[in-house]
Amino acid sequence: MSALLALTLLVWGCAPVLASAGHTPAGVDLTGHWQALAALAVFVLGYALVMAEERLHLRKSKPMLVAAGLIWILVALGYTQAGMPAVAEAAVRHNIMEFGELFLFLIAAMTYVNTIEERGVFDALRVRLVQAGLSYRALFWVTGAFAFCLSPIADNLTTALVAGAVVLSVGATQPRFVPLACINIVVAANAGGAFSPFGDITTLMVWQKGTVQFGQFFALLGPALVNWLVPAALMAWAIGAGKPPHVEQAAEIREGAWVVVGLFIATIALAVVLHAWLHLPPVVGMMTGLGLLKLYAYGLQRRNHHPALVLDEPDDVFAAPSLDANHPKAGPFDPFKQMERAEWDTLMFFYGVIMAVGGLGTLGYLALASQALYGGLGATGANVLVGLLSAVVDNIPVMFAVLSMNPDMPIGQWLLVTLTAGVGGSLLSIGSAAGVALMGQARGHYGFASHLRWAWAIALGYAASIGVHLLLNRHLF
C-alpha cells in the first residue's frame, strides 16, 4: 500500500464526529460545502508533511498544530453561516477536554518513566544483560522477551531504546545479528504494548474512553504473544552461532530508584481502582501519584541537604550537587526536570490530531466513514484494515477516528481493533515509534530495507495473532 493511498483512506475513513458531541444537527449537512472541502485539503496537506518528517526534518507536531487551527476556523465559519455558531463552540470545547485528560495522564506516566531512567534502573538492566555471557541466539530471545515484558508498563519507544542499546553493545561486529535483533525488539515492544492499557497511546485512549475495561485488555495476551513469537521463531534460525566477547560495563542505581518504581506501580493501581470503583477518570489517580512522587523528592532532598538551601532555591536545588561536605553525592532528582524531558513533540502532535480529526468530524463525515469501513467491509474486515493502515500512517489518528465513529461492535471486535492498531505498525520500520527510534540508534545496521526483508514473517505473525484472538476470545464476539 502506497503512502498516498494510505493517506486517502485516512481522510475518507478517519474523519469522524466525536461520539458524544460531534454529531451534526438534524437537517444540516456541511460535507459538500467549501469549508468542509477546504478542511479536508488542509488535513491532507498537514498529514503529508507529517509523513515526510524524516525527509524534511520537520517535527510532526508543527504542521498538525497549524492544520488543527485552520480546520476549526473553517468549522466555525461553516456553522456560523448556517446560523448555529454554538455547535462549533461546544464541539471544540469537548475536543479540548478529551485531549486534556489524555495529556495529563501521559505527562504523569512519562515523568515516572523518565525518573526511573534517570535513577539508573534501565541502565542497570542493560548492563546485567550485556554481562550475562549469553550466545547471540540467546540474546536475541532475551532482548525480545525483555521488550515484550517491559513495554506494557513503559512506552514502546523507551523499551526499544533500552533493548537496542544491549544489542549494539554486544553485537556491533555481527552484521547478521543486529538487524534481526532490532526487528525482533520492534515486534516484541509493539506486541507487548497491545495487551496493556499503559502499553501504547492507542490502548490508553481505548481505556480512557471506557470502551474496554482494564481487565478486559489481558484477553489479548495470547494473541500478542503469538504476534511476537511467530516472526521471532522464523528469524532466530537466521542467527549464526557464537558468543559475543565479554564486555566490562558498570551502572549505578541512584538513591530512591526502587521507591520510585514502587510509587509508579502504586500510581497505576490507584488509577485503576479509582476508575473501577468510583468511576473517576484514570487521570485523577495518575496526577495524584505524580504528586506523591514530588513529595517523595522533597522529603529526600530535606534529608540530604540543608533546609535553608531547599527554601532559598526551590526550582533548582533537587538537581544540584550537595554543598555539604558530609553529603558529597549528587542530590535527589527533580521531578520537574524529568517532566521537561517528556516527548513534547508527540504530545503536541497528539493535540493536533485530536483537534484536526474532531474538526473534520464536526463537519459531518461520520456517516460516510462508518458506512465505507464498517458497513462495507464488516467489523472484522475494517479492523484488520486499521492495522494495515497503521503500518504507514500513525496509529494515533487511526484509533482516535475509530473511537470517534463508535461503531456498534461487541467487545471482541473492540479488542481486535486494539490489537491490530497496536501491532500493525510492526509491518514496516516506519510504522511505529519503536522502529523509527531504532533506525536512528542502529544507523548503518538496521533500516527500512532490512526490516522489509522480513515483512513476510511479521505479516504471518499479524495474521496468526488475529486468528488466535478470533479463536480464544470467540465468546466475546
Side-chain angles (χ1 to χ4, degrees):
M1 181 185 295
S2 68
L4 180 59
L5 176 59
L7 187 59
T8 303
L9 287 172
L10 177 69
V11 172
W12 180 255
C14 301
V17 182
L18 284 170
S20 59
H23 295 285
T24 53
V28 177
D29 181 12
L30 299 180
T31 54
H33 288 209
W34 72 266
Q35 294 96 338
L37 298 175
L40 282 174
V42 168
F43 183 78
V44 169
L45 177 60
Y47 214 88
L49 292 173
V50 169
M51 294 175 68
E53 178 185 16
E54 292 298 315
R55 180 175 299 179
L56 298 177
H57 303 288
L58 176 69
R59 289 185 179 272
K60 60 182 177 290
S61 62
K62 297 177 182 180
M64 286 311 297
L65 287 172
V66 175
L70 293 176
I71 287 170
W72 276 102
I73 291 172
L74 291 166
V75 171
L77 284 173
Y79 277 100
T80 298
Q81 289 182 3
M84 292 180 288
V87 172
E89 180 185 1
V92 74
R93 289 184 184 277
H94 185 83
N95 273 266
I96 292 172
M97 182 181 72
E98 291 270 326
F99 170 74
E101 286 190 19
L102 288 165
F103 172 78
L104 292 174
F105 189 106
L106 289 169
I107 283 292
M110 288 178 177
T111 302
Y112 260 109
V113 171
N114 289 341
T115 301
I116 291 170
E117 180 184 15
E118 185 270 341
R119 292 286 93 184
V121 174
F122 293 150
D123 274 344
L125 291 172
R126 177 180 58 81
V127 169
R128 289 288 297 272
L129 286 175
V130 168
Q131 296 179 343
L134 302 173
S135 68
Y136 285 115
R137 187 167 292 171
L139 276 169
F140 173 88
W141 283 109
V142 168
T143 52
F146 173 79
F148 186 85
C149 295
L150 181 61
S151 58
I153 55 174
D155 63 278
N156 60 358
L157 175 62
T158 301
T159 299
L161 290 176
V162 173
V166 176
V167 167
L168 291 174
S169 295
V170 300
T173 60
Q174 288 290 321
R176 184 186 298 179
F177 168 73
V178 174
L180 289 172
C182 286
I183 297 169
N184 187 41
I185 288 168
V186 170
V187 176
N190 290 335
F195 71 88
S196 165
F198 299 90
D200 190 80
I201 292 179
T202 54
T203 57
L204 174 60
M205 291 164 66
V206 174
W207 181 44
Q208 285 244 116
K209 195 78 172 178
T211 307
V212 178
Q213 299 304 311
F214 185 87
Q216 292 173 324
F217 281 96
F218 299 104
L220 292 177
L221 174 58
L225 193 59
V226 168
N227 181 269
W228 165 50
L229 289 178
V230 168
L234 294 169
M235 289 187 292
W237 289 104
I239 296 176
K243 230 177 179 184
H246 183 72
V247 178
E248 286 293 341
Q249 292 189 9
E252 176 191 2
I253 296 182
R254 301 182 64 191
E255 184 180 14
W258 298 116
V259 175
V260 173
V261 172
L263 284 174
F264 188 31
I265 295 172
T267 296
I268 293 173
L270 182 63
V272 173
V273 169
L274 292 181
H275 183 62
W277 288 2
L278 300 179
H279 305 288
L280 291 173
V283 65
V284 175
M286 292 300 293
M287 292 303 290
T288 304
L290 181 61
L292 293 175
L293 175 65
K294 293 177 181 296
L295 286 175
Y296 174 68
Y298 175 79
L300 210 55
Q301 180 62 40
R302 295 283 296 192
R303 190 179 73 186
N304 293 337
H305 291 262
H306 290 301
L309 186 60
V310 174
L311 295 175
D312 289 343
E313 298 180 299
D315 291 333
D316 300 323
V317 67
F318 293 141
S322 172
L323 300 182
D324 190 339
N326 296 322
H327 299 86
K329 292 185 178 181
F333 58 85
D334 179 0
F336 285 101
K337 295 294 183 186
Q338 305 314 316
M339 192 179 293
E340 290 174 5
R341 296 175 52 226
E343 298 167 31
W344 288 100
D345 180 54
T346 298
L347 292 171
M348 293 298 98
F349 170 71
F350 195 19
Y351 166 84
V353 164
I354 287 181
M355 298 301 290
V357 173
L360 289 176
T362 305
L363 288 167
Y365 289 94
L366 176 60
L368 295 176
S370 183
Q371 183 179 0
L373 286 175
Y374 289 91
L377 297 175
T380 301
N383 291 334
V384 171
L385 179 61
V386 164
L388 298 176
L389 187 59
S390 67
V392 181
V393 181
D394 194 281
N395 60 0
I396 294 175
V398 175
M399 179 55 81
F400 182 71
V402 174
L403 287 170
S404 301
M405 289 181 209
N406 197 24
D408 185 14
M409 301 189 299
I411 188 64
Q413 290 290 355
W414 280 110
L415 287 172
L416 175 61
V417 74
T418 301
L419 173 70
T420 57
V423 303
S426 301
L427 291 166
L428 296 175
S429 62
I430 60 171
S432 67
V436 173
L438 276 185
M439 281 196 297
Q441 186 183 38
R443 185 175 284 109
H445 299 279
Y446 166 69
F448 182 86
S450 59
H451 192 106
L452 191 62
R453 279 196 288 272
W454 289 92
W456 62 271
I458 301 170
L460 286 177
Y462 180 76
S465 66
I466 293 172
V468 169
H469 172 61
L470 294 175
L471 179 63
L472 290 183
N473 300 319
R474 58 186 180 276
H475 61 286
L476 298 175
F477 287 84

